[in-house]
Amino acid sequence: MSTSALQTAAPAKRATPTLALGAIGVVFGDIGTSPLYTLRECLKAAGGVNPANVYGIVSLILWSIIVVVTLKYVCFVMRADNDGEGGILALTALASGVAPVRLRRLLLTLGVFGAAMFYGDSMITPAISVISAVEGVTLVDPHLSTWIVPIALVILTALFRVQKRGTGAVGKVFGPIMLIWFLTLAVTGVMNIASRPGILQAVSPAFALEYLAHAPGTAFIVLGSVFLALTGGEALYADMGHFGKRPIRLSWLLLVFPALVLNYFGQAALVLNKPSVISQPFFESVPAWALIPLVLLAALATVIASQAVISGAFSMTKQAVQLGMLPRIPVVHTSSHEVGQVYVPFINLTLYVAVVFLVLFFRSSDNLAAAYGIAVASTMLLTTLLMYFVTHCLWRWRPLATVAVIGPMALVDALFVASNANKIMDGGWFPLLAGAALFTVMTTWHKGRETIVQRIKSESLELAPLIKSLTAGEHPVMRTQGTAVFPGGVARMTPTAFLHNLKHNGVMHRINIFLAGSTDNTPHVSDDVRVSVESLGHGCYAVTVRHGFMEIPNVPAILELVEKQIPDWRYDPADVSFFLGRDTIVATGKSHAMPLWRERLFAFLVRNAAQAAEYYSLPPNRVVEMGGQINL
């Protein structure tokens, strides 16, 4: 098959070692840079350095990683792949497809909220990662502290400017750099553990439990900082479609997890031996001669971690558009070989503005850490709740087994959400505010589209009877040569563009093809079942098009599939005209579905959505747009 009917591509089959190296470079960037600030923030929240604090906190970090990342995500959640894809939206589609009908709207709401929180994380991760790496220069010269923010802004500006070039070329060096990074974490950790091997006793969960029991109030606050060690956990699941389960699991178990644990324990040993290094235990863990190389390596690692989150936001946006949660947004494909590599200019600019604001407003990783965590913790809790429906409704687990597994996971997630709630006034308000704004936009768009479809169904003419009336009888409508295609219609209903063409031109084309699309709860749909053609007689055909939530419709390529099902018709691009309806939405305040302010927001989103011709990959010189007005 030379041309796919939708702009999508599955990852090529590559050897597991190659995929594992790629996963190291992309999947683990966020969680891999957490040692830059996690233990420092934990000790700060605990009130300082003493053996009880250090042993208890490092044990909490270890067992949090084991329970949340290894057991929950690597061993459990990654089993719930949606045709190989992962992430909160893919899981929402999977769960809503098997859950009881009465609960599907609720699950969709949970998924939309989780996606909105993901965008909040996408704003904070680049800011805190890059600025925490740059802060290492203060150990070289304390007077450089005034340059931390400018240097971080320069790095972040360069990062966002190169997004339009695509990640293909840069991605080739991500894996090797992050491999060096994780080996450096392991080596520095071992060096410091050697000076105080007794810290390895904290491997026992008894130290974590004792710390929680001895000072539960302080421990509850500390948990909000312990969560910083887990912030990249959701990425393991979200990036599963790019690399597969096995490479991600192997990379985690054989390299990333051991390296992180060794580094956290090494930092713990260092602060016990030298409490004065509490302000920067990560950078103090190497000899003076290695400080500058470590700062440079940390800067590269944080840029890679930021790149992974930004790329994830681009992919999430594409999924949200296809699932009807966001308006059509221009998507630029940055590779002719890997169609999954996309660049979304609007999202890139939005993230950049938000990141610059965060850097200028908070100015340090200490302050940013207060804003970090609540968004990711919320997404993790929602993932667990959605997994309940997958285990119970899809995997057919018995209720007792489902509750026995999901219950403890939900309890741990809820505990981390509650502990991060303490940070809301100190900065956690930002991701919540950003998430709430995005949640409002996404739910308004989804509800507005439903309202429009219902309005079309109630007010428009049914297609089949209209075609019969126009082509039969004593005075059939005049016909002209060529093919007219009407994309983006509602199944069995007459497109407004068709009615406008009849009204203004008074003719029908020899061949008329009415396309109505639907998005499946799977990432990809095979071309063998993508189109279904129904003949309405007299050269008119109603075509139902199915596509997955990872795919962008490509109408010319779809017509190549339609051609195989229509006898005596051949798709000739020079003989086809595409008729699109450009409807103006007017907010009247009379809708029972939405209040006036949401009607106005929906109308604004419609006005600023990407052009349908661009979205459907239509040749501009073959497109005819017919205007209309819809009163809400």
Side-chain angles (χ1 to χ4, degrees), residues 191-204:
M191 289 170 51
N192 287 286
I193 290 171
S195 67
R196 195 176 185 121
I199 192 65
L200 293 177
Q201 297 177 68
V203 168
S204 170

Side-chain angles (χ1 to χ4, degrees), residues 408-470:
M409 290 182 180
L411 182 62
V412 171
D413 290 336
L415 187 61
F416 278 121
V417 170
S419 62
N420 276 283
N422 290 317
K423 302 178 180 180
I424 290 177
M425 298 307 297
D426 296 325
W429 55 266
F430 180 83
L432 291 179
L433 181 63
L438 286 163
F439 179 77
T440 301
V441 168
M442 295 169 84
T443 52
T444 298
W445 179 257
H446 184 75
K447 186 63 177 179
R449 287 181 72 254
E450 283 188 340
T451 303
I452 293 297
V453 170
Q454 292 302 320
R455 182 68 54 84
I456 291 173
K457 288 183 176 180
S458 64
E459 297 181 356
S460 297
L461 301 172
E462 288 195 28
L463 182 59
L466 178 64
I467 295 298
K468 184 177 180 180
S469 67
L470 291 173

